[in-house]
Amino acid sequence: MPLTAVTAGTVAMVVSYAGPLALVLAAASAAGLTEAQASSWVWAVSIGAGVTCVGLSWWSRAPVITAFSTPGAAILVTALPQHGYAEAVGAFLVAGVAATALTVTGVFARVMARIPAGVVAAMLAGTLFSFGTAVFTSVRDAPLLAGAMLVAYLLARRLVPTYAVVCALAAGLVVAGVTGGLRVDLPGLGLAVPHVTVPQFSLGALVGIGVPLLVATLAGQYAPGIAVLNAAGYRPDSRVVCGTTGLVSVLLAPFGSHAVNPAAITAAICTGPDAHRDPAKRWIAGVTCGVGYLVVGCFGSTLVALFTGLPKALVATLAGVALLGSIAGSLARTVADERDREASVITFLATASGVTVAGIGSPFWGLLAGVAAHLLLGTAKGRRSLPERGSDGPASRVPTPQRMRTAPDGGS
């Protein structure tokens, strides 16, 4: 059992909980869920990630790291309070079924190829935007606590980037403990009890939660997760990997799981040479990460009590710094393609506005606005680029034989 692989898997598991779990608990708190429901949610996403992480890593002999959807949890912070919890569970279930069908059949790859990458990235950036600004709001409200976490994060990003989020969490806990901000009353190590919620289905929840959750998870997690594995030289069958996580999401949706999917950021911890010099042995890091998920998931009620007792500034700052990389990457992709830059910016602004129409949250409207802008602007640009019939433009001055001679070389 190589120590470096075990360490990499453990770090990946800790990083997975350090930021994304705060988003899950923030969504549960905003929606007014009971402690039993919140604990079951933590249990469901943890068990789902653990089972798929262990199973897929063992099957493929590759470090297949899975996790619960971070962009999906961010969407639920604003979308979940607008609908009943049973309706949200119904949306989770439908999104899981759709994700499984789209990935197993290969339709997902073809559909995503038709939506500009900048528009999808802009929707994610707009969704995560408020979490980034919350870091500096927390610095204003709790300068010592949030400032120490931000400085620790930046220093760690320079010196030990793998542990940057963990260092920020450690700094926050130390400052909160010294200043008396920690008010955690742990009930003791008790096993989490799964809580079943019978799903209900409504058009508002399906459109306001299901569609944004599906798009954000597929575009923000599935595609990057597989890309990380491929970049490291691993080629597991993506239909098996994505289809398995989608099926597990469906099975655990009644317990609160919003989405289980291939991970990207934490996967990079386990796929690089730091995990093990021999690529053939890095799969052990994936198994270790999955075992960690299973252990933590069993004590979901304790985790809920622990994180709900933390200062709000600590949780907000932790979530913000954990998402800085995702925000930066999404913003970079938003403006990368000059042809779709305007449509992408429209998507970002509409999503970041937080506007809700007919009970449907801003991520859906942002995506819809971006796609519409892409179609309209693309049509207008296409018309402007076409030469007029009989004009003296460059195209009309090219002799027919010259154009025909380019055909055999593939130039026309």
Side-chain angles (χ1 to χ4, degrees):
M1 189 66 70
L3 179 60
T4 54
V6 173
T7 302
T10 303
V11 170
M13 182 270 296
V14 172
V15 171
S16 295
Y17 282 111
L21 183 60
L23 297 176
V24 170
L25 297 179
S29 176
L33 302 188
T34 65
E35 183 175 339
Q37 290 171 330
S39 176
S40 180
W41 190 350
V42 175
W43 174 86
V45 294
S46 301
I47 297 302
V51 169
T52 53
C53 206
V54 172
L56 291 172
S57 296
W58 183 279
W59 162 76
S60 65
R61 286 302 192 269
V64 180
I65 307 300
T66 58
F68 42 96
S69 173
T70 301
I75 289 173
L76 292 175
V77 174
T78 55
L80 190 58
Q82 301 170 15
H83 306 277
Y85 181 58
E87 294 179 347
V89 170
F92 297 167
L93 187 63
V94 172
V97 171
T100 305
L102 291 174
T103 53
V104 169
T105 60
V107 174
F108 164 66
R110 295 193 292 271
V111 171
M112 291 307 300
R114 303 181 71 89
I115 301 178
V119 170
V120 175
M123 186 197 71
L124 296 177
T127 301
L128 304 178
F129 179 74
S130 61
F131 296 95
T133 58
V135 173
F136 302 96
T137 304
S138 300
V139 171
R140 180 198 62 194
D141 298 336
L144 182 59
L145 174 61
M149 294 180 67
L150 184 57
V151 171
Y153 173 82
L154 294 175
L155 290 176
R157 285 291 299 169
R158 179 179 178 84
L159 301 175
V160 282
T162 300
Y163 305 95
V165 175
V166 176
C167 289
L169 173 60
L173 292 175
V174 170
V175 173
V178 171
T179 59
L182 285 178
R183 295 180 177 85
V184 180
D185 183 19
L186 294 179
L189 286 178
L191 292 176
V193 179
H195 179 83
V196 178
T197 298
V198 179
Q200 297 180 4
F201 303 95
S202 69
L203 181 61
L206 291 177
V207 177
I209 294 179
V211 173
L213 177 62
L214 175 65
V215 174
T217 301
L218 291 177
Q221 299 284 166
Y222 276 72
I226 297 300
V228 168
L229 286 171
N230 292 340
Y234 299 101
R235 296 291 187 275
D237 191 331
S238 61
R239 292 180 298 176
V240 174
V241 173
C242 298
T244 300
T245 55
L247 179 60
V248 170
S249 297
V250 172
L251 296 177
L252 293 175
F255 300 97
S257 172
H258 61 289
V260 176
N261 48 253
I265 298 174
T266 50
I269 299 175
C270 300
T271 55
D274 290 339
H276 200 282
R277 289 180 296 179
D278 184 0
K281 295 184 178 180
R282 295 174 192 165
W283 66 273
I284 297 175
V287 173
T288 303
C289 181
V291 171
Y293 282 142
L294 294 174
V295 172
V296 174
C298 289
F299 303 100
S301 58
T302 303
L303 276 176
V304 170
L306 172 63
F307 276 85
T308 53
L310 297 176
K312 292 183 178 180
L314 187 151
V315 176
T317 305
L318 181 63
V321 297
L323 291 170
L324 282 178
S326 298
I327 295 172
S330 297
L331 287 175
R333 293 191 296 272
T334 295
V335 298
D337 191 345
E338 185 176 356
R339 295 172 299 177
D340 293 313
R341 187 170 296 169
E342 289 180 87
S344 300
V345 171
I346 289 174
T347 303
F348 170 75
L349 294 176
T351 306
S353 68
V355 64
T356 299
V357 180
I360 301 174
S362 61
F364 172 78
W365 297 116
L367 182 63
L368 185 63
V371 171
H374 164 71
L375 294 176
L376 292 173
L377 294 175
T379 301
K381 291 176 181 177
R383 288 176 178 173
R384 287 196 300 267
S385 63
L386 289 176
E388 296 182 4
R389 186 182 300 271
S391 67
D392 294 328
S396 64
R397 291 197 301 266
V398 178
T400 301
Q402 180 177 345
R403 283 184 283 146
M404 294 181 61
R405 281 198 299 270
T406 63
D409 297 330
S412 63

